[in-house]
Amino acid sequence: NIRKGREDNNCGHRFRRSSVVTPRYSLTGTPDGLLPSANEHMPELPVVQPKAPKILCITHADHPSPIKYPSRINEGEQASWGDVLVQMKRRLAWTENGFEMTVLDADELTTSILNEEAGKADIFFFVSLGRNSTANEMIASYTQAIPTGVCLGCSPDMDQISRLDYQPASAFGSGGG
């Protein structure tokens, strides 16, 4: 059942290619005893539901991003950061069940909203916040418990709060790891 010829794999290495794969184990047990037979009790393992990420995004929604609108909308015009993040939110929600992303406009930010949303977030993403030290200090203060986040195009003080708390990607249900 196994073809005995050797074939080249285009890298100069030779390997054997099998035309028929024979299973080593049956469903009712194995001769070498590596798998339990059907009569043996298998302990039930708990089912762990992966946690979908919750992302908090803060930007000045009307600030232009480096991304241009598609030709069918406003050809050649730059999309605002608010539009870009809302579109990302929609796309990611389509592909990942349970995914949550909150997009807040920095110009309309209140301490109560920030406190509520920061308390639910696993990740933060701040973009184009500028140099308003009062607003930036408030944002940094309320989000200090969020383990992972990135600041882009913000003040040097805000860029310094970017951090990564390593967690396997499988903890968020992406299937990676």
Side-chain angles (χ1 to χ4, degrees), residues 94-163:
W94 289 340
T95 59
E96 183 70 40
N97 254 352
F99 172 84
E100 289 182 38
M101 182 168 153
T102 302
V103 180
L104 300 177
D105 186 346
D107 294 326
E108 299 174 8
L109 204 56
T110 65
T111 57
S112 61
I113 291 172
L114 185 56
N115 187 40
E116 179 183 343
E117 295 302 331
K120 297 187 274 184
D122 302 304
I123 302 166
F124 67 79
F125 180 66
F126 306 149
V127 63
S128 188
L129 289 181
R131 297 182 182 271
N132 182 337
S133 62
T134 305
N136 290 348
E137 286 173 16
M138 178 181 74
I139 291 168
S141 172
Y142 278 92
T143 58
Q144 66 186 355
I146 301 174
T148 299
V150 176
C151 298
L152 299 173
C154 300
S155 68
D157 290 341
M158 288 299 286
D159 289 341
Q160 288 181 7
I161 71 165
S162 294
R163 57 187 170 265

Side-chain angles (χ1 to χ4, degrees), residues 21-83:
V21 177
T22 307
R24 286 182 65 191
Y25 310 111
S26 69
L27 295 175
T28 59
T30 62
D32 54 4
L34 291 177
L35 294 177
S37 70
N39 296 331
E40 291 182 46
H41 174 69
M42 290 284 297
E44 297 242 351
L45 298 175
V47 176
V48 177
Q49 293 296 333
K51 179 182 169 190
K54 292 177 175 62
I55 301 174
L56 172 61
C57 299
I58 301 175
T59 189
H60 289 286
D62 59 343
H63 282 197
S65 74
I67 300 166
K68 295 189 186 267
Y69 282 110
S71 61
R72 66 183 181 277
I73 298 176
N74 294 329
E75 188 168 355
E77 192 176 312
Q78 285 184 304
S80 70
W81 274 115
D83 288 347

